[in-house]
């Protein structure tokens, strides 16, 4: 539904090392940004590399995170999280594909699963040093005990960091293989590491060695990959023109969504008539509460591509947020007709239909939202809208189940548990909905008690 911020579940699974400068924080909530056009773009540009990595494109998810840092990481199974800040600094689709190829190297290498191979030895060293230090102190050698403890901690840290750097290097090499198999150039990867090297210089990160780092220095990575990429017959192949055009579109709309509107309008002045600029300005004007100016930009885009579902989606969203519900519904119906397999667009149409509070519109919205959820179960907004319909129909148990689904996705254990119990009390025992409510209730209870389920 255009760009929309969605709050992901708390992530408590240990993540593989991030690609860039900073380790991702564990057990934190991630601000996921959902956008139909961006997600379709991610799927299309990554599919050849996913296949090259012997992974299933249906199982690998690329997820956009609202975070200004230049970062990407793998976490929680086969999920690649890409920070919005990374999109903003990349110049072309080939650079982004280089990042994705590296992250697929982490997935194919099982680096999430194998993280214990690095932490295990480091922990053992720490424990042994603690025992030895305690023994020395017990014998009255306090200074010696402290020295042993300090040395043990240092060795443990260096063991873990060495393991992590090795995984990063392996992911770099695997990524190069996937780019080659997908007939893509590695030049974008080298260019991107060059950007990171420049950032390391600006941050005054020592360039002598990477001994105390989780990642090799960017200059080291460039040196290790330059010859590998240069041997590829596709090294001088430029970015795919169609993908590059789509990249500029999603970059423009992302900037319009996350940047301060004044800055966006300065970056993309009215003299810039490109699709990227118009997209960015449309979001900036909408966020500044100038819907007519936003509609002016999107209407000019639609004049060149009247059936573009993503242009229609944004226009529908602007109209809906301006209180012009009837017009929004007409536009969003056209968007769904031109992109029938995009659940986020269907969800927005469902929302527009519900907003009229007309029985006929509610009846149209219900199957639409059910179909959207069937295609995209991790869509709390769709569950919320479906819950509204059930509530209006007087179906309290299913309204509660929809709320339980939504709260579960948002990491609200108490809300999920309470609504699941209401659903269980009113649904036919043993039915599919009753079993689903029971699953949510049990999962919420396990999470609350911190048990393994």
């Amino acid at each position: 539904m255009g760009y929309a911020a969605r709050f992901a579940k708390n992530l408590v699974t240990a993540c593989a090392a991030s690609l860039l400068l900073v380790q991702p924080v564990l057990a934190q909530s991630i601000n996921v940004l959902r956008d139909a056009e961006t997600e379709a773009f991610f799927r299309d540009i990554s599919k050849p590399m996913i296949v090259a990595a012997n992974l299933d494109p249906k199982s690998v998810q690329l997820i956009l995170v609202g975070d200004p840092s230049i970062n990407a990481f793998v976490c929680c199974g086969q999920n690649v999280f890409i920070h919005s800040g990374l999109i903003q600094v990349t110049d072309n689709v080939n650079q982004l594909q280089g990042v994705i190829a590296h992250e697929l190297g982490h997935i194919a290498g099982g680096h999430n699963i194998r993280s214990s191979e690095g932490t295990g030895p480091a922990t053992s060293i720490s424990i042994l040093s603690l025992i030895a230090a305690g023994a020395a102190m017990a014998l009255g050698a306090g200074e010696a005990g402290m020295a042993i403890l300090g040395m043990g901690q240092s060795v443990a840290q260096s063991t873990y960091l060495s393991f992590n750097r090795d995984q990063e290097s392996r992911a770099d090499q695997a990524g190069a293989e996937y780019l080659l198999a997908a007939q893509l150039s590695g030049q974008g990867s080298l260019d991107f590491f060059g950007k990171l090297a420049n950032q390391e210089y600006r941050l005054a990160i020592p360039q002598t060695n990477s001994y105390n780092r989780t990642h090799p220095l960017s200059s080291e990575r460039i040196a290790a990959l330059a010859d590998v990429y240069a041997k590829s017959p596709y090294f001088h192949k430029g970015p795919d023109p169609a993908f590059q055009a789509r990249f500029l579109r999603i970059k423009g709309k992302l900037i319009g969504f996350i940047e301060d509107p004044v800055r966006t309008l300065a970056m993309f002045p009215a003299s810039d008539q490109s699709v990227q600029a118009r997209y960015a300005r449309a979001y900036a004007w909408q966020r500044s509460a100038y819907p007519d100016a936003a509609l002016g930009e999107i209407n000019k885009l639609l004049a060149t591509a009247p059936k573009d579902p993503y242009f229609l989606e944004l226009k529908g969203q602007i109209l809906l947020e301006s209180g012009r519900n009837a017009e929004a519904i007409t536009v969003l119906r056209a968007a769904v007709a031109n992109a029938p397999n995009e659940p986020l667009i269907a969800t927005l149409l469902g929302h527009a239909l519900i907003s009229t509070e007309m029985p006929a519109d509610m009846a149209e919205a219900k199957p639409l939202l059910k179909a959207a959820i069937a295609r995209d179960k991790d869509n709390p907004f769709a569950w919320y809208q479906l819950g509204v319909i059930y509530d209006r129909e007087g179906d309290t148990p299913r309204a509660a189940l929809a709320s339980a689904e939504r709260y579960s996705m948002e990491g609200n254990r108490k809300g999920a548990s309470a609504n699941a119990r209401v659903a269980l009390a009113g649904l036919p025992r043993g039915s599919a909905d009753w079993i689903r409510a029971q699953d949510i209730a049990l999962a919420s209870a396990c999470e609350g008690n911190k048990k393994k389920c």
Side-chain angles (χ1 to χ4, degrees):
M1 55 177 70
Y3 269 112
R6 292 289 175 263
F7 214 46
K9 292 179 182 179
N10 287 337
L11 299 175
V12 295
T13 304
C15 299
S18 62
L19 166 65
L20 308 178
L21 300 177
V22 183
Q23 192 84 351
V25 177
L26 302 183
Q28 66 173 352
S29 291
I30 293 180
N31 184 28
V32 174
L33 301 179
R34 300 292 311 273
D35 174 63
E37 182 175 12
T38 301
E39 291 177 6
F41 172 71
F42 281 170
R43 288 193 298 269
D44 291 344
I45 67 169
S46 63
K47 185 175 181 179
M49 295 178 290
I50 294 172
V51 172
N54 291 317
L55 299 170
D56 183 356
K58 294 180 181 179
S59 300
V60 179
Q61 270 194 303
L62 276 77
I63 300 166
L64 183 63
V65 178
D67 190 306
S69 61
I70 306 171
N71 210 354
F73 61 94
V74 172
C75 187
C76 311
Q78 298 185 7
N79 296 315
V80 178
F81 292 84
I82 299 174
H83 286 200
S84 57
L86 187 147
I87 300 292
Q88 287 186 267
V89 302
T90 47
D91 301 318
N92 58 58
V93 66
N94 190 221
Q95 291 179 10
L96 180 56
Q97 286 172 316
V99 172
I100 294 169
H102 169 95
E103 297 303 334
L104 293 174
H106 279 306
I107 295 175
H111 293 173
N112 265 348
I113 300 170
R114 296 177 57 203
S115 61
S116 61
E117 294 178 19
T119 57
T123 301
S124 297
I125 292 169
S126 295
I127 292 172
L128 290 172
S129 66
L130 182 60
I131 293 171
M137 291 177 184
L139 293 173
E143 291 185 6
M146 292 302 295
I148 292 170
L149 181 60
M151 182 181 298
Q153 295 298 316
S154 177
V155 172
Q157 182 185 43
S158 66
T159 298
Y160 173 75
L161 293 176
S162 175
F163 173 82
N164 205 76
R165 289 194 302 273
D166 179 66
Q167 284 195 329
E168 293 299 322
S169 296
R170 288 176 184 272
D172 284 345
Q173 294 298 321
E177 294 176 12
Y178 306 153
L179 289 172
L180 175 62
Q183 300 183 9
L184 297 170
S185 171
Q187 183 63 61
S189 179
L190 295 178
D191 291 344
F192 192 78
F193 280 130
K195 289 178 178 289
L196 296 185
N198 289 335
Q199 185 177 19
E200 289 171 0
Y201 293 138
R202 288 196 299 272
L203 295 174
I205 294 174
Q207 299 293 303
T208 52
N209 64 69
S210 55
Y211 181 74
N212 288 320
R213 288 168 50 88
T214 58
H215 296 62
L217 291 165
S218 296
S219 57
E220 294 174 346
R221 300 170 89 168
I222 292 170
L225 290 169
D227 289 342
V228 176
Y229 284 137
K231 293 176 183 177
S232 167
Y234 312 108
F235 184 67
H236 296 291
K237 178 182 177 181
D240 178 275
F243 280 161
Q244 178 62 14
R246 292 173 66 185
F247 169 77
L248 292 175
R249 281 176 56 147
I250 68 113
K251 182 175 179 178
K253 70 191 296 188
L254 176 63
I255 291 172
F257 178 76
I258 63 177
E259 285 286 354
D260 179 85
V262 174
R263 174 170 165 74
T264 299
L265 295 172
M267 292 172 64
F268 299 100
S271 58
D272 188 343
Q273 301 293 301
S274 66
V275 172
Q276 180 186 37
R278 289 200 183 281
Y279 235 164
R281 289 198 298 267
Y283 273 96
W285 285 124
Q286 175 66 357
R287 291 181 60 213
S288 302
Y290 289 99
D292 290 340
L295 287 170
E297 296 290 355
I298 202 66
N299 282 335
K300 288 176 182 176
L301 288 173
L302 281 166
T304 64
K307 294 185 178 182
D308 188 301
Y310 306 116
F311 293 162
L312 289 166
E313 176 194 25
L314 178 55
K315 180 174 182 178
Q317 184 172 346
I318 294 169
L319 289 167
L320 182 61
E321 293 176 0
S322 302
R324 298 160 66 175
N325 299 36
E327 294 175 74
I329 290 170
T330 300
V331 172
L332 290 171
R333 281 180 179 144
V336 170
N338 286 288
N341 296 318
E342 288 290 359
L344 292 179
I345 300 179
T347 300
L348 184 58
L349 173 56
H351 174 47
L353 289 164
I354 290 171
S355 69
T356 69
E357 300 187 0
M358 300 293 291
D361 289 338
M362 290 278 189
E364 180 183 348
K366 188 175 181 179
L368 194 70
L369 290 167
K370 283 187 172 182
I373 287 168
R375 293 192 183 96
D376 180 13
K377 291 182 171 57
D378 295 326
N379 187 342
F381 188 65
W383 279 113
Y384 171 75
Q385 297 299 325
L386 188 58
V388 170
I389 293 176
Y390 284 133
D391 182 66
R392 300 285 173 82
E393 292 176 342
D395 191 344
T396 301
R398 286 182 175 79
L401 177 57
S403 294
E405 294 278 10
R406 173 170 66 97
Y407 285 131
S408 179
M409 290 175 199
E410 295 174 343
N412 183 338
R413 180 185 59 80
K414 290 183 178 180
S417 179
N419 280 278
R421 289 196 300 270
V422 172
L424 284 170
L427 291 167
R429 187 177 183 84
S431 67
D433 285 342
W434 185 90
I435 292 171
R436 179 56 189 157
Q438 185 181 54
D439 288 344
I440 295 173
L442 289 172
S444 299
C446 289
E447 185 179 340
N449 295 327
K450 304 201 181 292
K451 295 178 181 178
K452 293 182 179 179
C453 304

